[in-house]
């Protein structure tokens, strides 16, 4: 008897199984290298502070977001683009399918609750600026090249550097736009305390537009000759104030200031 055509099940080729398309996120443990990095696909990496070198972190990676946890606490969120192949690459190198997105992450597709406090990390440019989407914000010359955390709480933006609150500014980004900021995350720690108040000295600007403080000659300019000014002595710079108005800023050269005379001269 003749046998009619038999329908055969078509199997997917090796390496293109349906399972590979189901991976939405991958988790892995990484040790922060002496160079302060944890490696990611496509030659990308995350860089950390020197205090975390040698520490083991858990990295959660999806197609568009990376979360980093230290001792179970979310310490960093970044927007980064990865493909299915990138997630498979992580699995092949010891990663595991990721669980739910870590708490504290922010989704650009979901509205923020009214009281949500959002943080992002940025590095101030050579002009002391940071970029928040289409909005640029001036942080000041004292933060040039520094990595800062910007914390949005209601109508205020708090600038945090090295674990200290260094500036408080009006928030330049409306509440519901904050979830769309690159690297946005929900704040999970209390607002840090501000640093102790910087020291101040009083000086009179000479006829040549200069004066000396802490053995360093500062030159606010001839336009200010004869004025009595206040010099704010900060960690990395001197800020010269005429009343409450900053008229110049000067980098601190040499060793930190430990002694100074606060009289006008």
């Amino acid at each position: 008897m003749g046998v009619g055509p038999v329908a055969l099940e078509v199997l997917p080729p090796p390496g293109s199984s349906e399972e590979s398309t189901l991976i939405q996120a991958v988790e892995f443990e990484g040790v922060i290298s002496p160079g302060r990095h944890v490696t990611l696909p496509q030659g990308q990496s995350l860089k950390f502070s020197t205090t975390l070198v040698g520490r083991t972190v858990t990295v959660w990676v999806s197609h568009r977001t990376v979360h980093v946890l230290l001792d179970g606490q979310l310490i960093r969120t970044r927007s980064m683009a990865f493909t299915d192949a990138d997630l498979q690459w992580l699995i092949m190198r010891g990663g595991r399918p990721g669980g739910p997105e870590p708490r504290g992450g922010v989704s650009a597709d979901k509205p923020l609750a009214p009281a949500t406090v959002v943080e992002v990390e940025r590095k101030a440019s050579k002009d002391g600026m940071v970029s928040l989407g289409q909005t640029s914000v001036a942080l000041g010359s004292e933060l040039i090249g520094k990595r800062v955390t910007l914390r949005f709480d209601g109508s205020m933006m708090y600038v945090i550097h090295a674990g200290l609150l260094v500036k408080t500014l009006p928030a330049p980004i409306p509440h519901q736009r904050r979830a769309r900021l690159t690297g946005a995350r929900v704040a999970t720690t209390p607002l840090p305390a501000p640093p102790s108040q910087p020291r101040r000295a009083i000086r009179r600007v000479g006829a040549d537009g200069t004066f000396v403080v802490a053995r360093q000659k500062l030159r606010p300019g001839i336009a200010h000759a004869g004025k009595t000014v206040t010099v704010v002595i900060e960690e990395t710079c001197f800020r010269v104030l005429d009343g409450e108005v900053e008229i110049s800023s000067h980098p601190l050269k040499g060793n930190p200031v430990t002694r100074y005379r606060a009289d006008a001269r």
Side-chain angles (χ1 to χ4, degrees), residues 10-261:
V10 178
L11 300 177
S16 63
S17 67
E18 183 179 353
E19 180 183 359
S20 68
T21 64
L22 297 178
I23 297 177
Q24 299 300 314
V26 175
E27 294 179 7
F28 67 93
E29 272 67 52
V31 177
I32 299 175
S33 71
R36 301 188 289 159
H37 290 88
V38 168
T39 300
L40 296 170
Q42 300 183 26
Q44 300 187 76
S45 65
L46 295 172
K47 191 172 184 179
F48 299 85
S49 70
T50 55
T51 59
L52 296 179
V53 168
R55 299 290 300 273
T56 298
V57 293
T58 299
V59 185
W60 187 97
V61 183
S62 71
H63 291 93
R64 64 176 188 174
T65 306
V66 178
H67 298 293
V68 182
L69 297 97
L70 176 66
D71 298 332
Q73 296 294 317
L74 183 67
I75 62 170
R76 182 167 301 182
T77 295
R78 290 287 176 85
S79 294
M80 304 176 77
F82 296 106
T83 64
D84 288 337
D86 293 329
L87 299 187
Q88 284 294 317
W89 183 87
L90 289 171
I91 291 286
M92 293 172 62
R93 283 156 180 78
R96 58 188 179 274
E101 186 166 1
R103 291 184 62 187
V106 171
S107 173
D109 303 324
K110 299 178 182 178
L112 286 175
T116 302
V117 179
V118 174
E119 291 182 342
V120 298
E121 291 186 6
R122 293 292 187 270
K123 184 177 181 180
S125 70
K126 63 181 180 179
D127 299 319
M129 307 287 290
V130 291
S131 177
L132 297 169
Q134 301 299 314
T135 303
S136 294
V137 180
L139 297 185
S141 58
E142 67 274 19
L143 291 172
I144 288 175
K146 303 290 181 63
R147 182 164 289 279
V148 297
T149 298
L150 306 176
R151 182 183 181 114
F152 298 91
D153 187 353
S155 62
M156 305 306 296
M157 182 180 78
Y158 300 99
V159 183
I160 301 166
H161 171 61
L164 295 173
L165 174 63
V166 295
K167 275 184 183 293
T168 301
L169 302 170
I173 304 297
H175 182 74
Q176 288 303 333
R177 280 179 50 198
R178 295 169 191 173
R180 297 196 292 272
L181 292 173
T182 299
R185 63 174 184 259
V186 175
T188 57
T189 57
L191 183 68
S196 58
Q197 291 296 315
R199 293 162 293 174
R200 295 182 174 226
I202 306 299
R203 292 291 185 271
R204 188 178 301 278
V205 182
D208 60 352
T210 71
F211 62 87
V212 175
V213 63
R215 299 183 180 180
Q216 184 171 329
K217 180 180 283 191
L218 307 185
R219 189 184 299 275
I222 293 179
H224 303 288
K227 291 182 179 179
T228 298
V229 296
T230 300
V231 185
V232 181
I233 304 171
E234 299 191 340
E235 181 182 357
T236 59
C237 69
F238 298 100
R239 294 191 299 116
V240 182
L241 308 181
D242 179 8
E244 296 299 323
V245 178
E246 182 172 328
I247 58 176
S248 64
S249 178
H250 311 266
L252 176 62
K253 300 176 182 178
N255 296 324
V257 177
T258 57
R259 299 179 63 186
Y260 63 97
R261 292 183 62 188

